[in-house]
Amino acid sequence: MKKILFASTALVAAGMMSAGAASAAEKIKLNMSGFSKWWVVGAWQDQDFQEQAGFGAASWRSNADVKGFNLITFDGSTALDNGLKVGVRFDLIAGGHSDTVTDVIDNSYAWVEGGFGKVLAGMHNNGTALLHVQAPDAAGNFTSGGVMLGNWAITKPSGVMGMNQRVGYTASSNTTQAIADDKAEKLTYVAPSFYGLTLGASYIPNAVRNGATGLGQHGRGNGNDRLEAWGGGALYANTFGPVGVKASAGYVWVDLKAVGNKAENAYTQQTYGAQLSYAGFTLGGSVQRASDDRRNGGNSAAALSGTSQIGTAGKGGELDFGGVAYDVGLQYASGPYAVSFAYFHSSVIGLTNTTLRNGKDDTIDAYQASGKYNLGPGVDVLASIGYIEYKDQRDGVAGITANQNKQYSNSGWTAMTGLSLSF
């Protein structure tokens, strides 16, 4: 696949060089757009978990909070005399996040577009994630971008591992998108659509951008690791009379080399998604399967404890980041109204120690109903009600007390209403 991507990039470069003189009619002028989304959130979670997780009765989590997500986009483009288009985009996170790993700049890239397709260079979602189809949500408040599944409302036990935790992330991301590269700098090629079919591919020299500043550095400090990645995806979108169809498939491969050449690991992700729409109804779902190749003995927690992986995930011992996640949802939209119901599940292997693993995986299950009402151009009132349950695979393991066991699972209800303003 990587050879195909290199060959495609070479063809694109040759096409641009042979396109003739590339003078622009005028410099690029940036446009501004974006959105501001704020939620008033109610959350009620397991008090037994809060006591045993070390919060104590005097420091239980609040039942109410305000959460937000605000994004300002600066983008622009110009057409060259030879027919090529070039442009840039910068996404600025403008406050509201409550997690500790959010970047100030979320996307930053330049692009070139012509008859050959479009090439992006910089920091953005990989080609597989860009083309991925997922379950619908009327409020845009599900999976990793949502308040509940973003782990912002109900506390996730520290030992519960989710998807996309292998590279780059210090916490799991509850989505079926293949985003384990954490928007690291990359090259992405998106082919022109052909009868509804769009293909895309990315090459990522360094899948870990945090703590890795020099050429060829990969953030683990051992000097002999490789964290390059590549991936490809396809999206088919078309209508047949009153029926709309979307389907996607993708694959991401990350090359991992452990400390002291202990093991050569490859972390892979396969993603699939589909939607059918008819008479205002949209039924959709998606799945991701992740595989952690642990040949030659696998990696120890010590080898995974750098900025590139979450390390022990509060568990210790050897870890396997493979697993499966899926979502399914149904939405109905009519005029200014939209309502939906969706379900998400993930199951990650985690510990390889059979005794501690307890014959189980780490699991996350979430249910959410959402609604939206459009008040006018760019102004929407939103609402979501949901339930989420986290379970550590050590839940119920032999040799611990009932009180100690309570720290391995948590669950709770959320109810929220919000306002979304786009500009």
Side-chain angles (χ1 to χ4, degrees):
M1 176 68 190
K2 187 162 63 175
K3 291 181 179 179
I4 295 175
L5 179 58
F6 284 151
S8 300
T9 304
L11 289 173
V12 170
M16 289 190 292
M17 287 187 294
S18 63
S23 60
E26 58 182 19
K27 287 185 178 181
I28 293 174
K29 295 181 180 179
L30 292 180
N31 304 305
M32 186 178 73
S33 60
F35 62 84
S36 178
K37 184 183 292 186
W38 289 97
W39 295 93
V40 178
V41 184
W44 300 267
Q45 53 192 311
D46 193 331
Q47 294 182 352
D48 287 339
F49 165 78
Q50 295 182 73
E51 289 180 347
Q52 296 306 314
F55 302 144
S59 58
W60 284 350
R61 299 303 193 196
S62 173
N63 294 124
D65 205 348
V66 176
K67 301 293 186 184
F69 183 24
N70 300 272
L71 184 77
I72 300 175
T73 297
F74 301 93
D75 63 349
S77 63
T78 189
L80 305 180
D81 292 342
N82 61 8
L84 293 177
K85 292 182 179 180
V86 294
V88 293
R89 173 168 173 164
F90 312 99
D91 287 339
L92 172 67
I93 299 295
H97 268 297
S98 298
D99 60 353
T100 59
V101 295
T102 299
D103 298 315
V104 175
I105 301 298
D106 191 45
N107 289 291
S108 176
Y109 60 89
W111 54 267
V112 179
E113 186 175 17
F116 51 82
K118 190 172 186 177
V119 177
L120 294 74
M123 192 171 68
H124 54 274
N125 274 327
N126 63 68
T128 301
L130 289 173
L131 302 177
H132 186 54
V133 176
Q134 294 179 267
D137 182 78
N141 189 36
F142 205 57
T143 67
S144 62
V147 173
M148 185 177 70
L149 273 172
N151 305 317
W152 297 349
I154 306 301
T155 303
K156 181 173 76 69
S158 62
V160 174
M161 294 171 60
M163 302 301 290
N164 296 296
Q165 199 155 2
R166 187 63 163 98
V167 179
Y169 279 85
T170 55
S172 64
S173 184
N174 300 320
T175 179
T176 57
Q177 279 187 303
I179 55 174
D181 62 278
D182 195 19
K183 290 188 180 178
E185 290 88 346
K186 62 178 67 68
L187 286 174
T188 294
Y189 170 66
V190 180
S193 295
F194 183 74
Y195 288 99
L197 178 65
T198 304
L199 303 177
S202 292
Y203 172 64
I204 309 155
N206 176 6
V208 178
R209 54 195 175 91
N210 297 320
T213 58
L215 182 64
Q217 295 180 1
H218 298 304
R220 294 224 304 259
N222 55 63
N224 65 354
D225 60 321
R226 293 199 306 273
L227 286 167
E228 67 175 350
W230 56 263
L235 168 67
Y236 179 76
N238 213 334
T239 56
F240 301 90
V243 180
V245 177
K246 289 184 179 179
S248 66
Y251 181 83
V252 172
W253 180 89
V254 183
D255 184 17
L256 298 169
K257 189 176 183 181
V259 174
N261 296 312
K262 179 180 179 181
E264 180 75 15
N265 276 30
Y267 177 70
T268 61
Q269 295 173 289
Q270 302 174 47
T271 61
Y272 307 93
Q275 285 187 1
L276 290 174
S277 58
Y278 175 77
F281 288 94
T282 300
L283 175 65
S286 60
V287 62
Q288 181 196 140
R289 181 183 183 277
S291 178
D292 189 353
D293 178 5
R294 300 176 52 78
R295 60 180 178 272
N296 297 332
N299 282 328
S300 67
L304 301 174
S305 60
T307 57
S308 57
Q309 289 91 17
I310 193 171
T312 62
K315 298 184 179 188
E318 291 190 353
L319 302 175
D320 188 320
F321 293 79
V324 175
Y326 60 85
D327 60 29
V328 61
L330 177 64
Q331 174 179 292
Y332 177 72
S334 177
Y337 295 93
V339 292
S340 65
F341 180 81
Y343 169 71
F344 173 87
H345 170 82
S346 70
S347 179
V348 177
I349 295 172
L351 285 166
T352 61
N353 183 297
T354 55
T355 300
L356 291 175
R357 187 182 176 193
N358 200 25
K360 303 175 182 177
D361 291 346
D362 288 338
T363 60
I364 301 173
D365 290 276
Y367 308 80
Q368 182 168 285
S370 293
K372 178 183 74 171
Y373 180 74
N374 179 253
L375 295 176
V379 181
D380 295 315
V381 176
L382 312 172
S384 292
I385 298 175
Y387 174 82
I388 191 167
E389 181 178 44
Y390 304 98
K391 276 192 174 293
D392 191 308
Q393 60 198 153
R394 294 169 295 180
D395 182 45
V397 69
I400 63 173
T401 67
N403 282 335
Q404 289 174 327
N405 189 68
K406 292 176 182 177
Q407 66 182 305
Y408 292 141
S409 64
N410 191 26
S411 61
W413 289 89
T414 64
M416 63 197 82
T417 183
L419 182 67
S420 176
L421 308 174
S422 60
F423 52 89

